[in-house]
Amino acid sequence: MKILAIETSCDETAAAVMEKKDNDPFVLTCSAVVASQAKLHEKYGGVYPEVASREHIRQILPVIAEALELPLTERDRLPLFSLKDIDHLAVTVGPGLIGSLLVGTNTVAALGLASGKPIIAVNHLAGHIYANFIRHNYTYSAESQPKSVATQYAQVPPRFPLMSLIVSGGHTLLVYMKEHYSFEIIGQTRDDAAGEAFDKVAKLLGLGYPGGPLVSKLAATGDRFAYNFPIGFEHEETLDFSFSGLKTAVLRVVQKESQPLNKQAKANIAASFERAVIEALLLKTTHALNAHPVNDFLLGGGVAANAYLRERLSTLLAHRVPSINLHIPPISLCTDNAQVIGAAAAFSPLTPTPAEALNAVARPVLSTSPP
Ligand code: KG4
Ligand code: ZN
């Protein structure tokens, strides 16, 4: 089965052709294109929703045409024959920015009506989980971990029950799954998402957008114990997260330090902040695993690209629960893309959504029963 998947929930316009074979537990990538708008939003220090929707409109057809490998001369239109090898269409219907989502759903509705191909509506968060069901040649190996430990996990299919930590710009969630498409949210942020905290701290330190990779690069040169930043719900039983107090604590430190901040002071703040975020994620992950024993653990979302998180989580699991296989996607499958949407669609048990109903299912907020 071949799926053409489209993702436009935030500031990446993406399309991919994915293939699921009956006897393969993984989904294969045939082609993948991502047009990032990061440069456009940089001057606002975050995603400017109106600018994002307009840019999606400009990019969507060329991006799909490229994913379908149309010759350059045909990229301003999508002839129907270009869909001849495609069995299903898939599109992100939420959560995300509504203006951005509607560009994807309208485009896919039009393609569905014109071609008669069935459409699978996909929840963006399911996509971040299903990043771990895409076949790739990547093997994560933590520096502190013997290579043999990591390599034995390479491309072994995830085993249920499993737990997934999704850390992105909009969400921070611990999800327990008994089987495919059974999503039980056992912990989530009550205020800011982890990626949002990275972006806000980057802004406070004058680093630019998106903040995660910039804070992380600077943190590598700083002292992680220079500041004792708060760890959200450190002494509470809850599996929920909170990052807004941490962000305020960083603001106070920035205001107290002599201005302008020198490079080392910024690096120390970045390093201590990053430690506090990662400690909070690891603390709640440890509690969650105690309460819900699982076979496998999956990481997903943009913050899953963070080197310090990858290293610390992999060391934690290798030492505390060595029976668990940890799945970490390659960085290109952590940040937003359409391959993960196609992968989630490939496992979706749901009946296709009629093209004319697609806009009605687009939703900006998190649904506990992802479509
Ligand atoms: O999943 P994603 O691409 O979009 C959403 O679904 O939100 O995640 C984007 C978020 C941004 O907040 C970005 O700063 C963060 O992921 N991010 C990182 C890193 N790379 C991206 N955060 C920390 N460290 C990174 N290396
Ligand atoms: Zn995302």
Side-chain angles (χ1 to χ4, degrees):
M1 173 176 68
K2 274 199 178 164
I3 300 172
L4 170 64
I6 313 295
E7 152 67 38
T8 63
S9 67
C10 190
D11 62 341
E12 259 91 32
T13 318
V17 176
M18 305 298 286
E19 181 168 18
K20 176 79 179 70
K21 294 185 175 149
D22 285 345
N23 51 0
D24 191 341
F26 292 105
V27 185
L28 309 174
T29 302
C30 305
S31 68
V33 182
V34 180
S36 172
Q37 306 177 3
K39 279 262 158 297
L40 276 180
H41 300 287
E42 202 174 355
K43 62 173 173 288
Y44 307 108
V47 179
Y48 195 125
E50 179 64 23
V51 172
S53 325
R54 285 168 192 270
E55 187 62 11
H56 283 307
I57 291 170
R58 234 170 52 76
Q59 294 283 1
I60 187 88
L61 291 182
V63 163
I64 296 174
E66 193 180 336
L68 291 170
E69 290 166 350
L70 285 178
L72 279 175
T73 48
E74 300 205 31
R75 291 205 182 156
D76 56 345
R77 63 197 190 99
L78 288 176
L80 273 186
F81 74 76
S82 61
L83 294 176
K84 66 179 185 319
D85 295 333
I86 303 293
D87 302 295
H88 281 80
L89 303 168
V91 62
T92 307
V93 293
L97 300 169
I98 191 69
S100 292
L101 289 166
L102 288 175
V103 177
T105 54
N106 274 304
T107 307
V108 171
L111 290 178
L113 284 171
S115 66
K117 311 269 177 187
I119 300 168
I120 315 259
V122 176
N123 183 294
H124 183 81
L125 301 172
H128 280 310
I129 295 174
Y130 278 91
N132 292 287
F133 286 86
I134 297 175
R135 190 175 288 290
H136 55 70
N137 297 322
Y138 166 86
T139 304
Y140 179 71
S141 171
E143 274 173 22
S144 61
Q145 194 175 289
K147 199 145 189 103
S148 57
V149 176
T151 46
Q152 76 190 16
Y153 299 154
Q155 288 287 261
V156 175
R159 301 165 303 175
F160 294 98
L162 57 81
M163 192 179 297
S164 183
L165 173 65
I166 309 174
V167 269
S168 72
H171 296 89
T172 307
L173 295 175
L174 277 164
V175 183
Y176 177 80
M177 290 174 71
K178 274 201 307 284
E179 57 194 349
H180 278 300
Y181 265 72
S182 128
F183 304 102
E184 191 188 333
I185 295 172
I186 56 173
Q188 59 188 308
T189 185
R190 297 209 194 148
D191 40 56
D192 292 349
E196 190 178 355
F198 270 96
D199 294 335
K200 287 179 176 168
V201 166
K203 208 169 173 180
L204 288 176
L205 296 177
L207 298 180
Y209 173 84
L214 301 167
V215 170
S216 171
K217 190 164 169 231
L218 189 60
T221 64
D223 174 1
R224 299 207 182 272
F225 295 89
Y227 301 94
N228 200 11
F229 288 132
I231 293 166
F233 298 135
E234 185 174 10
H235 303 293
E236 293 177 42
E237 292 239 322
T238 177
L239 296 179
D240 285 348
F241 303 92
S242 166
F243 295 106
S244 71
L246 169 59
K247 173 192 65 191
T248 311
V250 173
L251 172 67
R252 298 270 176 275
V253 164
V254 169
Q255 286 169 337
K256 242 177 46 202
E257 291 285 332
S258 54
Q259 303 293 333
L261 286 177
N262 67 42
K263 191 146 194 245
Q264 194 54 49
K266 280 189 184 182
N268 289 347
I269 293 172
S272 304
F273 158 79
E274 188 174 56
R275 180 175 66 85
V277 173
I278 290 357
E279 293 297 353
L281 295 174
L282 298 185
L283 179 70
K284 298 304 170 181
T285 294
T286 307
H287 290 335
L289 288 171
N290 288 339
H292 303 264
V294 291
N295 284 322
D296 280 27
F297 194 91
L298 318 185
L299 192 61
V303 183
N306 184 275
Y308 187 58
L309 170 60
R310 291 158 92 93
E311 164 83 31
R312 293 282 315 273
L313 180 64
S314 125
T315 308
L316 173 86
L317 294 183
H319 290 118
R320 294 281 301 266
V321 222
S323 62
I324 287 184
N325 283 0
L326 169 64
H327 301 260
I328 298 186
I331 288 175
S332 61
L333 294 177
C334 292
T335 48
D336 287 350
N337 67 85
Q339 295 169 70
V340 303
I341 303 306
F347 289 97
S348 169
L350 296 166
T351 44
T353 304
E356 46 282 42
L358 209 53
N359 285 345
V361 294
R363 60 193 79 153
V365 290
L366 171 68
S367 149
T368 48
S369 52

